[in-house]
């Protein structure tokens, strides 16, 4: 006689749930002046126990808070070189976030990200060194130049598509590099502007307090980029762009319902360009100099590797990728060119196996598991049985 | 404009056209932007250098200092470069096409994988062989012809003739062979080709090996003029990509036209006194931006529009 096995069908038995008092009315905190809640709590009654259960439907804010808090608490206790690596990570992560806004949210495949950073960094540094503006103005000049550069670059983006626009922006970066290296007044320093005034006092530069101050500034920059990301993506602009996200059909649909998606794309492009300008000004201040290296293809490829390893189009991908690649690139300088080979190998393996980078692995695994369990369920459902495989999840007791 | 300048421009144009045609064919048939073309270029150059260095004593012992010896040497250089290029193509097929060609985000992911391959291979070459330049044995020998008061170096003439010959052979293969017919069917309409029984997997391998071999030929030919080095592939890759895009991706004739245009532009900018070699890239990209503003899909790029 064969023993019949029973399979339990449950939804997320591992998940932690609160058990609030069902009789008390809910009172949720709202963000001031908006109708938004801070966290996505969802309540439901358990049909078996008839108890009220409360779970956090979106746990990402939790992970972000824990991660960033741990990062900012641990870093001051690290060595000097690690603090500067952490600061560089913050700068790269914010550039990546803004680039992700352009590539992912706006869907404009621009390769001129570092060119905008460089141009506004140069303009800001020049305004400080040659015009004698005090350092707080760098943080004003940077975004202004970024705004102008972004507006100029955004103009052809609606006319050209995809790869052709990428080619154009790559050309712009190259033109910037040649222009800067050919400038007469900068030939003594190989095209670099040095001795830029900074928020880090002169005698603190490369000392521990100076490094800590620089890290604090860079961390604020990262928080600012995250805020901009959040503001654009979760507000109306992001909604409009998500409607016209993929393919010609979606664009046609968006147009038909009256969404001017081109205008929305340009807005996001110009907004992120202005923010990139701010990053450029900060970059010049943090290193107290800026060199034509920022326009080089290698630097751009390194940033691209960060985005790809983390996952294109995701905020957490941009940050995680920046952390991995910066740690390898700046942390293991003693192993020489091997570290670039290591980055390339990681990029290769991640892209072959993961659909959307490291941060997309979880979703990919869930899809895979869902598919497999569906296959298995379909195999063991007997012919003529009462439950079809698609309905089996709905049945409580099999 | 004198004849020397035209020869120089054609020399540049033929190398660029070899790279650009490879990228263009690959994009339109397999749907892959091959960023590893530069790595293929550098690897074939090194393979030619290595094999010719290894076989030099053997050839010298068998043939002595006869004409036969230099012919053998030339064929060894070309053959090893072509074989190495084809081998690189097969590696790209195994890594960037086969695992992901039926998975989501194929075009972006293959671009990323080939880019990673390019970075990895160039850095590995740099790590293993060091940054020193290596000279290849001269395939076409030293010397020059006098023609209408201008001197034409053998290597320039050989490059132009050799590249044109290889391109004609490639186009003939595409035009007249069974495989070429399949490739052209895929270039025109990938879905329709699949419906009529053309296997994407079986066609992609010869296409990738062919484009790799084209890059190998380009490497062997360009190394007659400049040296073999790990980063030698970067500029041909960037030039090949820009020219393939300028010509309109997927259009072979557009790519050739764009290569000739860019070759002449570079040659002319290089000799204008107040611009000079430093402004060559500057001028190229300015020209490309100008063209793209007026013709957003490149010179020959009406293909995509007609396809839809």
């Amino acid at each position: 006689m064969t023993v019949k096995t029973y399979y339990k069908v449950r939804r997320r038995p591992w998940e932690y749930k609160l058990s609030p008092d069902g009789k008390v009315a809910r009172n949720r905190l709202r963000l001031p002046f908006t109708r938004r809640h801070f966290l996505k709590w969802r309540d439901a009654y358990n049909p078996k126990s008839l108890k009220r259960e409360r779970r956090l439907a979106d746990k990402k804010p939790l992970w972000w808070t824990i991660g960033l808090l741990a990062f900012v608490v641990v870093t001051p206790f690290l060595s000097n070189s690690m603090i500067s690596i952490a600061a560089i990570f913050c700068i790269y992560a914010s550039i990546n976030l803004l680039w992700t806004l352009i590539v992912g949210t706006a869907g404009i495949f621009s390769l001129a990200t570092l060119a905008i950073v460089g141009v506004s960094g140069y303009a800001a540094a020049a305004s400080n060194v040659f015009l004698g503006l005090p350092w707080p103005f760098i943080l004003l000049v940077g975004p202004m130049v970024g705004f102008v550069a972004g507006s100029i670059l955004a103009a052809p983006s609606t006319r050209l598509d995809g790869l052709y626009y990428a080619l154009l922006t790559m050309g712009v970066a190259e033109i910037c590099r040649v222009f800067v290296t050919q400038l007469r007044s900068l030939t003594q320093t190989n095209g670099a502007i040095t001795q830029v005034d900074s928020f880090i006092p002169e005698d603190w530069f490369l000392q521990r307090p100076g490094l800590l101050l620089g890290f604090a500034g860079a961390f604020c920059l990262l928080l600012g980029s995250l805020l901009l990301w959040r503001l654009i993506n979760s507000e109306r602009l992001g909604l409009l762009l998500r409607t016209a996200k993929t393919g010609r059909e979606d664009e046609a649909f968006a147009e038909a319902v009256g969404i001017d998606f081109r205008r929305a794309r340009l807005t996001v492009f110009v907004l992120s360009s202005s923010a990139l300008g701010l990053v450029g000004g900060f970059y010049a201040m943090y290193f107290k100099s800026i060199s034509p290296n920022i326009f080089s293809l290698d630097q751009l490829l390194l940033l691209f590797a960060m985005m790809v390893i983390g996952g294109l189009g995701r905020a957490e991908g941009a940050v995680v990728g920046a952390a991995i690649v910066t740690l390898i690139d700046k942390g293991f300088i003693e192993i020489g060119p091997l570290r670039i080979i290591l980055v390339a190998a990681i990029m290769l393996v991640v892209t072959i196996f993961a659909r959307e980078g490291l941060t997309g692995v979880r979703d990919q695994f869930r899809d895979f598991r869902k598919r497999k369990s569906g296959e298995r369920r379909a195999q063991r459902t007997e012919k003529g049985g009462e439950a079809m495989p698609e309905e089996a999840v709905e049945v409580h007791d099999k | 404009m004198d004849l020397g300048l035209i020869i120089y421009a054609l020399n540049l144009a033929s190398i660029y056209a070899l790279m650009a045609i490879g990228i263009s064919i690959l994009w339109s048939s397999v749907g892959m932007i091959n960023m590893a073309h530069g790595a293929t270029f550098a690897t074939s150059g090194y393979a030619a250098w290595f094999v010719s260095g290894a076989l030099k004593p053997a050839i010298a012992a068998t043939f002595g200092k006869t004409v036969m010896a230099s012919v053998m040497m030339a064929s060894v250089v070309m053959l090893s470069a072509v074989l190495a290029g084809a081998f690189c193509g097969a590696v790209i097929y195994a890594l960037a096409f086969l695992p992901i060609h039926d998975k989501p985000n194929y075009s972006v992911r293959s671009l990323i994988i080939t880019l990673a391959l390019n970075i990895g291979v160039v850095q590995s070459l740099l790590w293993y062989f060091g940054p020193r330049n290596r000279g290849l044995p001269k395939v076409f020998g030293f010397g020059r012809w006098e023609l209408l008061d201008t001197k034409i170096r053998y290597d320039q003439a050989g490059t132009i003739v050799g590249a044109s010959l290889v391109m004609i052979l490639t186009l003939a293969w595409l035009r007249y062979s069974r495989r070429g017919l399949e490739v052209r069917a895929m270039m025109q309409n990938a879905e329709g080709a699949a419906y009529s029984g053309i296997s994407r997997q079986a066609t992609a391998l010869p296409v990738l090996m062919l484009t790799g071999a084209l890059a190998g030929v380009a490497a062997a030919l360009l190394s007659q003029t400049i040296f073999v080095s790990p980063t030698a592939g970067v500029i041909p890759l960037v030039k090949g990509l820009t020219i393939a895009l300028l010509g309109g991706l997927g259009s072979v004739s557009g790519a050739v036209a764009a290569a000739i245009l860019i070759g002449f532009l570079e040659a002319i900018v290089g000799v204008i006194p107040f611009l000079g070699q430093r402004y060559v890239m500057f001028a190229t990209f300015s020209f490309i931006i100008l063209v793209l503003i007026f013709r957003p899909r490149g010179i020959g790029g009406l293909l995509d529009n007609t396809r839809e």
Side-chain angles (χ1 to χ4, degrees):
Chain A
M1 171 138 181
T2 52
V3 183
K4 192 146 194 182
T5 38
Y6 291 96
Y7 296 92
K8 262 185 182 170
V9 176
R10 283 199 296 169
R11 305 291 271 167
R12 305 176 183 240
W14 62 89
E15 198 171 21
Y16 182 75
K17 295 185 191 81
L18 297 177
S19 45
D21 189 352
K23 294 185 186 84
V24 181
R26 293 182 67 192
N27 181 21
R28 288 198 285 178
L29 283 177
R30 286 178 196 277
L31 261 159
F33 311 114
T34 66
R35 301 179 59 197
R36 290 183 183 281
H37 302 294
F38 281 100
L39 291 172
K40 195 178 174 186
W41 289 107
R42 288 290 175 268
D43 282 21
Y45 282 100
N46 187 329
K48 287 229 177 104
S49 61
L50 296 180
K51 284 205 175 99
R52 197 173 172 80
E53 286 176 347
R54 179 171 295 172
R55 67 184 187 86
L56 196 55
D58 183 10
K59 295 187 192 63
K60 269 184 198 155
L62 213 62
W63 301 130
W64 273 111
T65 318
I66 292 173
L68 289 175
L69 264 180
F71 177 60
V72 81
V73 165
V74 166
T75 308
F77 297 102
L78 297 175
S79 66
N80 280 357
S81 59
M82 281 310 276
I83 292 178
S84 64
I85 290 176
I88 292 172
F89 153 70
C90 288
I91 296 175
Y92 280 162
S94 26
I95 296 178
N96 269 336
L97 276 169
L98 298 167
W99 194 5
T100 308
L101 267 181
I102 295 175
V103 174
T105 309
I108 299 174
F109 209 81
S110 161
L111 294 180
T113 317
L114 274 178
I116 293 173
V117 173
V119 164
S120 35
Y122 261 97
S127 73
N128 177 266
V129 174
F130 300 119
L131 300 181
L133 284 175
W135 69 262
F137 283 93
I138 287 184
L139 295 178
L140 266 177
V141 174
M144 271 153 56
V145 177
F147 177 80
V148 174
S151 313
I152 295 170
L153 271 176
S157 72
T158 48
R159 203 169 141 72
L160 300 173
D161 53 10
L163 288 165
Y164 295 93
Y165 187 69
L167 173 67
L168 184 130
T169 46
M170 206 170 85
V172 169
E174 176 63 23
I175 287 172
C176 289
R177 194 181 65 79
V178 173
F179 180 73
V180 165
T181 42
Q182 302 297 318
L183 274 179
R184 280 273 156 67
S185 54
L186 298 176
T187 38
Q188 283 172 343
T189 49
N190 275 333
I193 297 182
T194 50
Q195 320 251 302
V196 183
D197 262 351
S198 164
F199 61 97
I200 307 167
E202 197 66 48
D203 44 344
W204 277 12
F205 189 59
L206 293 181
Q207 307 296 314
R208 194 161 178 94
L211 286 173
L212 282 175
L213 194 60
F215 168 69
F219 189 72
C220 291
L221 199 70
L222 176 60
L223 286 186
S225 317
L226 281 170
L227 186 69
L228 183 69
W229 162 276
R230 174 76 203 210
L231 281 178
I232 288 181
N233 265 305
S234 60
E235 296 300 323
R236 187 155 184 83
L237 209 50
L239 187 71
L240 298 183
L241 285 168
R242 273 196 297 282
T243 316
K245 180 120 188 168
T246 46
R248 292 270 160 83
E249 293 91 32
D250 284 3
E251 286 179 4
F253 171 75
E255 224 162 10
V257 294
I259 293 172
D260 192 353
F261 64 89
R262 290 195 185 83
R263 192 192 164 87
R265 280 179 189 171
L266 294 186
T267 315
V268 171
F269 190 97
V270 172
L271 271 176
S272 344
S273 298
S274 315
L276 281 170
L278 181 69
V279 177
F282 184 86
Y283 184 97
M285 282 206 293
Y286 180 79
F287 292 105
K288 282 188 185 293
S289 68
I290 187 160
S291 73
N293 215 7
I294 197 167
F295 297 113
S296 74
L297 198 62
D298 292 347
Q299 199 71 24
L300 190 77
L301 287 183
L302 204 65
L303 279 177
F304 188 65
M306 292 175 192
M307 290 216 300
V308 162
I309 289 173
L312 264 174
R314 294 158 173 261
E316 61 268 33
V319 174
V320 168
I324 293 171
V325 175
T326 317
L327 198 64
I328 292 174
D329 186 43
K330 305 276 184 230
F332 302 111
I333 286 182
E334 65 272 11
I335 62 173
L338 259 181
R339 64 188 202 279
I340 306 292
I341 300 177
L342 191 62
V343 169
I346 293 176
M347 203 167 148
L348 192 81
V349 172
V350 165
T351 323
I352 287 180
F353 292 107
R355 208 163 52 192
E356 281 176 6
L358 281 180
T359 50
V361 163
R362 190 160 172 251
D363 289 343
Q364 194 178 349
F365 175 67
R366 289 202 165 160
D367 279 355
F368 168 78
R369 190 176 55 189
K370 209 185 276 173
R371 200 180 69 232
K372 283 292 165 198
S373 71
E375 278 169 12
R376 259 178 263 124
R377 207 185 305 122
Q379 269 175 354
R380 65 172 185 261
T381 307
E382 290 154 28
K383 265 184 192 159
E386 55 278 82
M388 292 303 287
E390 310 86 69
E391 307 166 325
V393 256
E394 313 295 332
V395 181
H396 287 276
D397 184 15
K398 287 211 257 293
Chain B
M1 192 193 293
D2 61 330
L3 192 64
L5 196 65
I6 296 178
I7 294 293
Y8 177 62
L10 282 178
N11 186 20
L12 285 177
S14 50
I15 305 262
Y16 294 161
L18 277 180
M19 296 298 278
I21 283 182
I23 291 170
S24 205
I25 291 179
L26 200 57
W27 162 253
S28 51
S29 62
V30 187
M32 177 197 280
I33 297 279
N34 189 1
M35 299 293 279
H37 227 55
T40 310
F41 186 92
T43 313
S44 335
Y46 268 97
W49 170 76
F50 190 76
V51 172
S52 61
L55 291 184
K56 205 174 196 171
I59 291 175
T62 339
F63 299 103
K65 274 191 172 281
T66 53
V67 182
M68 199 56 200
S70 45
V71 171
M72 276 304 284
M73 204 65 210
S75 45
V76 160
V77 167
M78 293 305 286
L79 210 66
S80 50
V82 166
L83 284 180
F87 175 73
C88 286
V91 170
I92 295 168
Y93 174 79
L95 284 176
F97 178 80
L98 212 48
I100 56 163
H101 74 281
D102 50 354
K103 301 263 161 42
N105 290 343
Y106 158 67
S107 56
V108 177
R109 279 166 78 186
S110 65
L111 187 147
I112 293 165
I113 291 175
T114 49
L115 185 65
L117 270 177
N118 195 34
I119 299 171
V121 168
V122 169
Q123 292 293 330
S124 308
L125 287 176
L126 196 64
W127 183 51
Y128 192 74
F129 290 105
R132 238 180 72 208
N133 289 334
R134 320 276 175 167
L136 277 185
K138 297 293 170 202
V139 173
F140 307 109
F142 292 100
R144 50 191 63 187
W145 286 310
E146 292 273 347
L147 188 72
L148 298 174
D149 291 343
T150 42
K151 297 185 179 71
I152 302 171
R153 291 210 313 272
Y154 283 171
D155 60 285
Q156 285 183 334
T159 303
I160 297 167
V161 174
S164 319
L165 205 68
V166 169
M167 271 186 276
I168 291 168
L169 278 177
T170 310
L171 291 180
W173 177 77
L174 274 178
R175 183 79 186 78
Y176 295 111
S177 75
R178 178 80 199 167
R179 237 343 149 209
L181 184 70
E182 291 179 1
V183 173
R184 276 187 299 134
M186 271 176 61
M187 282 164 87
Q188 279 175 11
N189 186 342
E191 212 170 321
Y195 284 140
S196 36
I198 294 170
S199 159
R200 193 150 171 249
Q201 289 179 37
T203 319
L205 182 61
V207 171
L208 268 158
M209 287 176 76
L210 171 80
T211 51
L214 284 181
V217 172
L221 289 178
L222 188 63
S223 308
Q224 304 301 315
T225 319
I226 63 162
F227 294 103
V228 176
S229 73
T231 48
V234 177
I235 290 172
L237 169 69
V238 172
K239 291 277 159 73
L241 267 176
T242 49
I243 288 169
L245 277 161
L246 181 66
L249 268 176
S251 148
V252 174
S253 46
V256 173
I260 292 171
L261 267 178
I262 294 287
F264 271 93
L265 184 78
E266 286 190 1
I268 291 167
V269 169
V271 294
I272 291 175
F274 60 92
L275 288 174
Q277 282 298 326
R278 305 166 100 184
Y279 278 99
V280 162
M281 285 287 256
F282 187 93
T284 316
F285 277 117
S286 311
F287 176 71
I288 288 172
I289 289 173
L290 211 67
V291 170
L292 284 183
I293 286 171
F294 289 107
R295 281 199 88 121
R297 279 173 184 274
I299 293 171
L302 292 168
L303 205 71
D304 284 12
N305 284 340
T306 46
R307 224 185 258 172
E308 282 177 19

